């Protein structure tokens, strides 16, 4: 998500008046060797060396302040790796804390505000966090040199131990002296051949906490003293309005403290989560008949399909596709249907607020802190500095914790305000989503319908391509619209198609963006979730029609994209000629978030006709591989997430009401369906690019292409459960 | 209600219909045990009750008089120690939110079946969702923990 933003806009002024217009950053690029801002150097009373990005404490801990949310993608460890590399810290002395909300210091250069997404974290921080490590290293070196009376050139740091002139010290022992040094005007970063961590490995910093149930790790675990819990009864249909509420029974429950009406719904505040949920059950709610979105997904699908017959808004048209198709030796035509999808991260949404009328403190897995901060400021009528945001580890997100409208922060702030306005004394209140609230709460990957006509010439090469997509725009109406929506076309709907690097000189892509009252959002890999599926299953159909090998056919059309061809070669070579006995093979290759991933799926059809993906062999090029094991983990997880969706996930609506409730009927992948995954990484010295999302797009088409080989069926309507395949 | 939680006798004063999950999290402030679904469908809330892996979102506190409960914060069996070691060695967790439950289920499996097959693992871990899809590593780490225990 958000990867479309360029870096040429003015810097944001984070006040509540302007937060909605926030735009991408002022720093038009990253200068190797330039110095990070040193404003905010803490006083030295504690004996700690404290810069905005790194603290070294007297007890010899190196604390890296992560400006990005880590919701499982390993970013915190990635940033720790960069700092430790330049500082020459020992891996086991490095910890990570989340930075406060401060866009001036901690903005994501690609968005111009503090936020995480679009698989941008490493790309955006690679230089900045190495510089941050190099700055504190230089200060430690200067401190050691002056303390020991030896030239700085004689000081070395190895694995957290500082030595020179026969003296030894830990980083912590030198922290107070280092804090008194002038930060260097310039630093020189290590050469890649001197790296000891980057490209080699660094253990995840938080795993001891995540394997021992540590206190207060996640937003859901925030329990400030005296805290209460809130749950909200939201409308049964998106946009429906409340006619009346009878809260008598709810208020009669022991432990229910208040029932509050806010624009989002009716809120029950109680002394614990269970009682709040019981209170919500006890509410008698009447919603205005016919209000909100009343169309079901069947009706929407009919409308979307009807729209396929009319020309849409063009996206990068080139050549003359219709003429080429008229002359083609063969034309393949296909229609695809993709359902709405929920993110369903394991930690349901939550956020805690303590608001006293003058200031507010928030706790939660905030993914775009600046937007959450600005939204809260607007709701509460406070200025930016009166609000503190404590970011916690995120229990998964897949896009869900990053919302352009900051709806979770807004709702939490509304509850804090309504509580106070009702005459109560300020207390921390945690807004908790149940799983049902999550599954039924919207912000879905939009439903999409595609129609494609693709032609082959007499030599079996692609001659022309016409492609129409009907799908809601994710970005229109958000603060990111101007970056992503051009001439009415939301680029996130066509990414991976109209910007394909396959040699298709005559291509016409157009789109319709119907207006539907269902909130939509980026979902791990955004538009690529459906566009890669269509492109890569079509490429397979075309290869079959041309009588060509699917790898060779793709490579023949990838002369202009050596990196995409490279990962396909790599995966094909590593997968060998055939998969495990009884399996059928499908391949797909796709670029997203500037990373290149090929996936080769070996698939078995079980006796009951369902699909078991036995093994997936992957080729990955994400530039400099900062932490190879985390790349493996993200590819494993990314393809598992994508496989989950194509097998069984769909959100449907009946007369506007979501039909699914919880994991029993919105059914993610379980252990028995997880394939063995083998990841091969291209050794690259290109700038690092994202890895959280690019593993997701290729798995669907790779499996679908294998299913075609096994059964002769082309799956063009997802999920696979619709065809008895899952 | 009187019960033993992580080795300590506790007197719980709560609505007997309150699930153990919320007693642990909200009353006792032990947040290691997670809420994922509330309907026995995700396993995030798994604890051991009298030694058995149990979904605490479905175990009403009123039914637990005299029970012995162990949670992620205190589990210290040989199997659990091996599982926790293997989990870190193989870098299993991503977001980590499901992992308390995974570890509780895997520990119970290894205690019962010290050398589990892949089918044993599928059967024992089927109820534990991981949205980050760390399943391949969970499987490897359970096999690895079995090795550690054998050694
Ligand atoms: S919360 Fe108990 S199984 Fe999901
Ligand atoms: S590690 Fe994130 S849900 Fe399992």
């Amino acid at each position: 998500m958000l990867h479309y933003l360029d870096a040429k806009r003015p810097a944001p002024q984070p006040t509540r008046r302007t937060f909605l217009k926030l735009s991408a950053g002022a720093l038009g690029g990253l200068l190797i060797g330039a110095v990070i801002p040193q404003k905010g150097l803490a006083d030295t009373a504690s004996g700690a060396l404290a810069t905005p990005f790194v603290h070294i404490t007297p007890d010899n801990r190196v604390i890296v302040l992560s400006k990005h949310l880590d919701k499982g993608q390993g970013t915190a460890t990635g940033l720790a790796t960069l700092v430790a590399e330049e500082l020459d810290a020992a891996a086991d002395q490095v910890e990570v804390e989340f930075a406060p909300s401060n866009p001036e210091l901690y903005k994501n250069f690609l968005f111009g505000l503090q936020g995480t997404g679009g698989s941008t974290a490493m790309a955006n921080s690679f230089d900045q966090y190495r510089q941050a490590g190099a700055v504190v290293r230089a200060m430690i070196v200067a401190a050691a040199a002056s303390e020991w009376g030896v030239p700085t050139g004689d000081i070395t740091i190895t694995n957290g131990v500082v030595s020179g002139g026969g003296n030894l010290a830990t980083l912590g022992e030198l922290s107070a002296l280092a804090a008194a040094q002038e930060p260097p005007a310039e630093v020189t970063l290590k050469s890649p051949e001197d790296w000891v961590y980057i490209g080699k490995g660094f253990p995840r910093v938080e795993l001891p906490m995540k394997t021992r149930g540590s206190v207060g790790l996640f937003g859901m675990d925030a329990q400030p003293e005296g805290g209460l819990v809130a749950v909200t009864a939201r409308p049964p249909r998106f946009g429906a309005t409340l006619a009346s509420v009878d809260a008598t029974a709810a208020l009669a429950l022991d432990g229910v403290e208040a029932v509050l009406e806010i624009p989002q719904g009716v809120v029950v505040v109680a002394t614990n989560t269970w009682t709040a949920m019981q209170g919500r059950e006890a509410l008698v709610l009447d919603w205005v008949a016919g209000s909100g979105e009343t169309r079901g997904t069947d009706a929407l699908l009919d409308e979307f399909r009807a729209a396929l017959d009319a020309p849409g808004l063009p996206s990068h048209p080139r050549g003359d596709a219709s003429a080429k198709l008229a002359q083609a030796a063969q034309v393949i035509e296909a229609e695809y249907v993709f359902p709405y999808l929920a993110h369903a991260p394991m930690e349901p949404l939550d956020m805690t607020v303590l608001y006293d009328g003058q200031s507010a403190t928030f706790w939660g897995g905030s993914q775009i802190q600046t937007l959450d901060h600005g939204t809260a400021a607007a709701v509460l009528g406070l200025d930016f500095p009166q609000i503190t945001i404590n970011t916690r580890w995120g229990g998964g997100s897949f896009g869900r914790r990053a919302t352009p409208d900051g709806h979770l922060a807004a709702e939490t702030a509304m509850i804090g305000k309504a509580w106070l306005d009702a005459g109560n004394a300020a207390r921390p209140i945690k807004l908790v989503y149940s799983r049902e609230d999550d599954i039924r709460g919207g912000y879905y990957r939009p439903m999409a319908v595609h129609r494609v006509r693709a032609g082959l010439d007499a030599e079996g090469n692609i001659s022309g391509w016409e492609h129409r997509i009907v799908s809601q725009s994710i970005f229109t109406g958000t603060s990111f619209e101007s970056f992503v929506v051009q001439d009415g076309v939301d680029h996130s709907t066509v990414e991976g198609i109209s910007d394909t690097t396959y040699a298709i000189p005559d291509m016409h892509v157009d789109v319709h963006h119907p207006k539907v009252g269902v909130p939509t959002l980026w979902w791990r890999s955004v538009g690529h979730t459906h566009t890669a599926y269509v492109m890569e299953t079509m490429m397979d159909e075309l290869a079959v029609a041309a009588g060509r090998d699917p790898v060779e056919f793709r490579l023949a059309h990838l002369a202009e994209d050596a990196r995409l061809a490279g990962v396909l070669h790599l995966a094909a070579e590593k997968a060998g000629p055939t998969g495990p006995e009884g399996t059928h093979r499908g391949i797909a290759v796709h670029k997203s978030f500037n990373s290149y991933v090929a996936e080769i799926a070996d698939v078995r059809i079980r006796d009951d006709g369902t699909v078991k993906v036995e093994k997936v062999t992957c080729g990955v090029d994400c530039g400099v591989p900062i932490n190879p094991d985390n790349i493996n983990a993200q590819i494993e997880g990314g393809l598992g997430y994508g496989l989950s969706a194509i097998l069984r996930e769909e959100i449907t609506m009946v007369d506007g009401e979501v039909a699914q409730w919880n994991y029993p009927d919105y059914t993610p992948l379980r252990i028995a369906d997880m394939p063995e995954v083998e990841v091969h990484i291209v050794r690259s010295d290109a700038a690092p690019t994202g890895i959280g999302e690019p593993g997701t797009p290729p798995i669907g088409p790779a499996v679908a292409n294998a299913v075609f080989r096994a059964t002769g069926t082309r799956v063009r309507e997802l999920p696979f459960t619709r065809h008895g395949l899952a | 209600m009187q019960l033993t939680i992580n080795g300590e006798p506790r007197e719980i004063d709560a609505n007997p219909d309150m699930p153990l999950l919320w007693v642990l999290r909200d009353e006792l402030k032990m947040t290691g045990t997670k809420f994922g679904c509330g309907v026995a469908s995700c396993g995030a809330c798994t604890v051991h009750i009298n030694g058995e892996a149990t979904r605490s979102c479905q175990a009403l506190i009123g039914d637990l008089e005299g029970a012995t409960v162990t949670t992620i914060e205190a589990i210290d069996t040989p199997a659990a120690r091996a599982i926790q070691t293997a989990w870190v060695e193989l870098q299993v967790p991503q977001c980590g939110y499901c992992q308390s439950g995974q570890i509780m289920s895997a520990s119970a499996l290894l205690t019962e079946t010290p050398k589990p097959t892949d089918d044993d693992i599928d059967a024992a871990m089927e109820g534990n969702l991981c949205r980050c899809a760390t399943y391949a590593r969970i499987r490897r780490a359970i096999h690895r923990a079995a090795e550690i225990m054998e050694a």
Side-chain angles (χ1 to χ4, degrees):
Chain A
M1 73 213 66
L2 305 183
H3 54 295
Y4 320 94
L5 310 187
D6 62 41
K8 299 191 192 80
R9 306 290 172 118
Q13 295 304 310
T15 69
R16 66 192 148 103
R17 280 157 222 95
T18 57
F19 79 94
L20 283 173
K21 298 199 192 106
L22 286 176
S23 51
L27 194 58
L30 300 162
L31 303 171
I32 300 278
V35 164
I36 57 169
Q38 292 303 315
K39 265 176 289 180
L41 278 175
D43 71 25
T44 53
S46 65
L49 166 61
T51 73
F53 297 94
V54 187
H55 294 185
I56 301 177
T57 63
D59 60 356
N60 203 30
R61 295 179 299 143
V62 174
I63 301 166
V64 176
L65 279 82
S66 173
K67 67 179 189 176
H68 297 291
L69 174 67
D70 194 318
K71 55 281 196 295
Q73 82 281 37
T75 297
T77 301
L79 299 179
T81 308
L82 301 177
V83 169
E85 181 67 67
E86 291 296 332
L87 174 57
D88 286 306
D92 61 6
Q93 72 184 143
V94 182
E95 300 170 16
V96 175
E97 285 177 9
F98 294 106
S101 168
N102 179 341
E104 200 189 326
L105 277 177
Y106 299 118
K107 65 175 164 278
N108 182 325
F109 299 125
L110 303 169
F111 313 162
L113 42 74
Q114 189 174 345
T116 307
S119 297
T120 60
M122 284 301 117
N124 152 28
S125 306
F126 187 54
D127 293 323
Q128 186 181 39
Y129 274 73
R130 283 187 301 151
Q131 287 172 27
V135 164
V136 289
R137 182 186 205 284
M139 294 167 81
I140 291 276
V141 167
S146 80
E147 177 72 1
W148 298 334
V150 296
T152 52
D154 289 355
I155 306 286
T156 58
I157 308 180
T158 308
N159 209 27
V161 178
V162 190
S163 56
N167 304 285
L168 286 178
T170 64
L171 297 172
E173 284 164 347
L174 290 165
S175 65
L177 285 171
Q181 305 293 320
E182 267 301 297
E186 270 186 3
V187 291
T188 310
L189 301 179
K190 279 187 185 174
S191 301
E193 60 271 19
D194 297 327
W195 286 340
V196 294
Y197 296 130
I198 297 174
K200 309 226 158 48
F202 198 89
R204 281 182 83 125
V205 291
E206 81 284 22
L207 291 205
M209 297 189 290
K210 286 182 176 173
T211 52
R212 290 176 193 281
S214 286
V215 176
L217 213 50
F218 298 96
M220 190 65 93
D221 303 339
Q223 293 187 327
E225 196 53 37
L228 299 168
V229 178
V231 296
T232 304
R234 298 182 188 80
R237 295 177 307 278
F238 298 108
T241 45
L242 186 68
S244 68
V245 54
D246 177 354
T248 318
L251 284 164
L253 290 177
D254 199 19
V256 170
E257 299 280 314
V259 173
L260 308 167
E261 268 187 58
I262 59 171
Q264 288 83 352
V266 181
V267 183
V268 178
V269 183
T271 50
N272 61 65
T273 317
W274 181 75
T275 303
M277 289 176 177
Q278 299 291 112
R280 179 167 66 174
E281 290 286 304
L283 292 173
V284 182
L285 298 160
D286 193 15
W287 304 94
V288 174
S291 63
E293 176 62 66
T294 55
R295 288 172 289 181
T297 35
D298 284 348
L300 288 171
L301 186 56
D302 288 344
E303 290 180 30
F304 282 27
R305 280 197 161 123
L308 285 174
D309 294 330
L313 299 164
S315 169
H316 309 300
R318 47 195 181 269
D320 190 342
S322 78
K324 286 291 165 61
L325 284 167
Q327 300 153 10
Q330 294 187 65
V331 173
I332 293 179
E333 185 164 340
E335 253 178 59
Y336 292 80
V337 177
F338 299 89
Y340 287 109
L341 295 175
H343 305 70
M346 282 303 295
E347 180 192 11
L349 295 186
D350 55 80
M351 196 172 274
T352 303
V353 63
L354 172 58
Y355 169 62
D356 64 7
Q358 317 296 320
S359 64
T361 305
F362 289 80
W363 294 261
S366 179
Q367 193 170 337
I368 312 181
Q369 285 92 341
T370 309
L371 286 182
D372 287 342
H373 201 148
T375 304
V379 169
L380 298 175
L382 297 175
D383 287 322
F384 226 66
Q386 295 166 296
I387 293 180
T388 306
I389 296 190
N390 298 301
T391 300
R392 296 298 183 97
W393 296 85
S397 171
F398 318 110
R400 186 65 183 89
R401 293 181 201 282
T403 51
D405 61 359
H407 75 87
L408 184 65
E411 186 174 336
T412 310
M414 294 268 186
I415 292 170
K417 187 169 185 319
W419 169 260
L420 211 65
D421 289 350
N424 299 296
R427 285 177 76 172
I429 302 177
K430 173 165 63 184
L431 169 62
V432 170
Y433 269 52
S434 66
R435 178 60 56 197
E436 291 82 2
D437 295 334
D438 171 58
I439 298 286
R440 302 171 64 74
Y443 295 89
Y444 302 131
R445 192 285 303 270
M447 188 167 110
V449 174
H450 290 233
R451 180 186 287 163
V452 192
R453 292 180 70 231
L456 291 167
D457 63 20
E459 283 77 50
N461 291 316
I462 300 171
S463 63
W465 192 296
E466 281 181 350
H467 200 138
R468 184 161 297 147
I469 307 172
V470 184
S471 188
Q472 282 168 261
S473 167
I474 295 172
F475 283 86
T476 301
T478 74
S479 45
F480 299 109
E481 174 171 344
S482 61
F483 299 100
V484 185
V485 183
Q486 263 158 22
D487 301 325
V489 176
D490 182 331
H491 183 71
S492 79
T493 308
V494 296
E495 60 184 358
I497 298 177
S498 62
D499 55 2
T500 181
T501 52
Y502 283 127
I504 309 174
D506 297 278
M507 188 174 206
H508 184 92
V509 181
D510 67 26
V511 295
H512 293 280
H513 290 309
K515 297 264 181 291
V516 182
V518 179
T520 60
L521 188 63
W522 38 60
W523 184 105
R524 197 173 194 170
S525 80
V526 201
H528 301 283
T529 54
H530 52 100
T531 61
Y533 190 95
V534 176
M535 286 304 289
E536 286 299 291
T537 53
M538 281 303 292
M539 287 301 284
D540 198 70
E541 288 205 40
L542 290 164
V544 170
R548 294 170 70 173
D549 173 79
V551 174
E552 179 276 324
F553 181 76
R554 284 174 174 79
L555 291 174
H557 289 87
L558 281 177
E560 296 299 312
D561 196 337
R563 292 178 77 180
L564 205 55
V567 292
L568 182 52
H569 264 303
L570 179 64
E573 180 198 314
K574 298 292 184 183
T578 51
E581 208 190 315
T583 60
H584 302 266
R585 177 164 281 183
I587 69 168
V589 60
H590 194 75
K591 173 189 174 186
S592 60
F593 310 93
N594 297 316
S595 291
Y596 304 78
V597 180
E599 292 176 7
I600 300 190
D602 293 318
V603 172
R604 189 163 55 82
I605 305 296
R606 296 186 182 104
D607 293 343
D608 65 359
T610 60
V611 167
K612 171 71 210 283
V613 183
E614 294 286 354
K615 183 172 178 191
V616 185
T617 309
C618 311
V620 178
D621 179 353
C622 55
V624 173
I626 295 175
N627 187 338
D629 188 57
N630 192 54
I631 294 169
N632 291 352
Q634 287 308 301
I635 295 290
E636 286 170 30
L639 73 81
Y641 197 74
L643 180 60
S644 183
I646 64 146
L647 290 180
R648 299 194 187 84
E649 291 179 33
E650 66 176 323
I651 291 286
T652 57
M653 280 159 248
V654 179
D655 300 332
E657 289 195 30
V658 176
Q660 291 73 30
W661 292 86
N662 198 321
Y663 288 140
D665 52 12
Y666 189 84
T667 54
L669 195 80
R670 292 179 187 264
I671 191 166
D673 278 330
M674 183 72 191
E676 181 193 338
V677 180
E678 203 178 281
V679 180
H680 300 277
I681 303 170
V682 173
R683 292 288 140 192
S684 167
D685 53 12
T689 48
I691 203 59
E693 297 170 270
T696 302
I699 190 64
V703 172
N705 292 337
V707 166
F708 171 73
R709 292 209 162 49
T711 66
T713 303
R714 288 285 178 193
V715 182
R716 299 197 189 101
E717 190 171 344
L718 292 175
F720 279 27
T721 41
R722 294 192 163 229
H723 311 271
L725 289 162
Chain B
M1 274 74 61
Q2 301 250 2
L3 57 164
T4 304
I5 299 180
N6 293 338
E8 279 179 43
R10 307 290 294 242
E11 172 80 44
I12 306 290
D13 176 24
N15 185 320
D17 289 339
M18 190 188 286
L20 173 63
L21 169 67
W22 298 114
V23 174
L24 292 170
R25 290 185 55 85
D26 287 355
E27 305 297 311
L28 304 177
K29 311 289 179 203
M30 292 164 56
T31 54
T33 304
K34 301 303 186 210
F35 164 59
C37 69
V39 297
S41 187
C42 77
C45 65
T46 306
V47 299
H48 293 181
I49 299 181
N50 301 327
E52 281 203 32
T54 309
R55 312 293 178 225
S56 65
C57 68
Q58 299 302 303
L60 307 190
I61 192 71
D63 296 337
L64 294 178
E65 182 71 46
T68 298
V69 174
T70 308
T71 71
I72 184 71
E73 285 93 345
I75 182 150
D76 194 27
T77 59
R81 284 198 296 273
I83 288 285
Q84 283 166 326
T85 303
W87 245 240
V88 174
E89 187 180 311
L90 273 72
Q91 301 272 292
V92 173
Q94 290 189 23
C95 84
Y97 194 82
C98 74
Q99 299 291 347
S100 297
Q102 305 280 2
I103 288 168
M104 297 307 285
S105 292
S107 304
L109 165 66
L110 269 199
T111 302
E112 282 271 297
T113 314
K115 266 263 163 275
T117 62
D118 278 343
D119 285 345
D120 294 335
I121 294 174
D122 284 347
M125 304 303 291
E126 174 72 22
N128 286 85
L129 278 179
C130 175
R131 217 34 195 143
C132 300
T134 63
Y135 299 123
R137 289 183 187 220
I138 288 174
R139 183 185 303 285
R140 285 208 300 280
I142 292 175
H143 288 309
R144 173 72 189 122
E147 270 172 38
I148 295 172
M149 273 179 72
E150 215 174 39

